[in-house]
Amino acid sequence: MKRKSLTIALAALLAGSMTFTSCIGSFGLTNKLLSWNNSIDSKFVNELVFIAFWIVPVYEIAALADVLVINSIEFWTGDNPVADAGTVKNIETENGMYAIETTTNGYHIVKDGESAVDLVFDAADSSWSVEAEGVSQELFRYEGSDKVVMHLPDGQEMEVSLDAAGVMAFQQVATNYNFYAAK
């Protein structure tokens, strides 16, 4: 009887540890599967694939894998094992063509075969930096979930709350820097 109680308590503890981690996660595998299905050109074929994937439990298995394994790995390590590292997207703008490659810690951006710029996320201090021609400059770092510390061109730092008022205040400061830089 004691062994059965211990087994039930252990099972409840394991189930609780997975449900109380606040790990919603990005559901990378499920979202990739849905994105692939949405990329099918014919809406009729798209619907047939959707129904088939629900009958043969492809979506259910992907969601279960996300919930039990992938989202937990993402929560504890900060890395999503099914992230799009290595994917390159070409974006044409009025300023030229940009090739943007997703890396494991950010993005590698090349404009029309010119020199590259890297946007790099440092998980140790929750910061984003820009790296170009061997020089690295921190752009901002997260301070909790409701604010960031922005690095200004003159070396000063500005604390910005992640709400409409904070973003508007930073926009105004950035506009002033651009105005003075243009003179």
Side-chain angles (χ1 to χ4, degrees):
M1 184 68 177
K2 240 182 182 182
R3 184 170 172 91
K4 186 176 182 180
S5 297
L6 181 63
T7 304
I8 291 173
L10 185 60
L13 180 68
L14 286 172
S17 70
M18 289 186 352
T19 58
F20 298 125
T21 61
S22 294
C23 174
I24 293 175
S26 62
F27 286 85
L29 182 61
T30 305
N31 286 327
K32 272 188 164 187
L33 189 60
L34 289 169
S35 292
W36 171 80
N37 190 11
N38 284 331
S39 70
I40 297 173
D41 289 336
S42 169
K43 66 181 180 179
F44 299 109
V45 175
N46 176 277
E47 182 66 15
L48 290 173
V49 170
F50 179 77
I51 292 169
F53 279 12
W54 272 114
I55 293 171
V56 178
V58 175
Y59 286 130
E60 293 92 332
I61 292 169
L64 188 63
D66 274 329
V67 168
L68 296 178
V69 179
I70 297 169
N71 287 349
S72 297
I73 292 170
E74 183 179 3
F75 176 78
W76 290 108
T77 66
D79 295 323
N80 186 329
V82 293
D84 287 340
T87 300
V88 177
K89 294 193 180 199
N90 293 310
I91 299 173
E92 188 170 347
T93 70
E94 61 188 35
N95 297 323
M97 178 70 82
Y98 293 86
I100 302 172
E101 179 182 1
T102 305
T103 63
T104 57
N105 62 341
Y107 303 94
H108 179 74
I109 304 167
V110 179
K111 179 186 177 202
D112 293 325
E114 297 175 9
S115 60
V117 173
D118 292 304
L119 296 175
V120 180
F121 180 72
D122 183 358
D125 65 353
S126 298
S127 68
W128 279 94
S129 299
V130 62
E131 296 178 2
E133 299 176 1
V135 178
S136 179
Q137 173 65 45
E138 187 173 288
L139 297 172
F140 67 91
R141 73 178 176 279
Y142 290 96
E143 295 287 328
S145 62
D146 60 345
K147 65 182 169 185
V148 295
V149 174
M150 300 295 299
H151 293 273
L152 302 174
D154 63 2
Q156 294 183 354
E157 293 181 343
M158 178 181 177
E159 201 171 271
V160 178
S161 61
L162 295 176
D163 57 18
V167 171
M168 188 180 303
F170 180 73
Q171 249 178 345
Q172 190 171 19
V173 169
T175 301
N176 288 338
Y177 273 100
N178 286 339
F179 174 75
Y180 292 122
K183 283 189 170 191

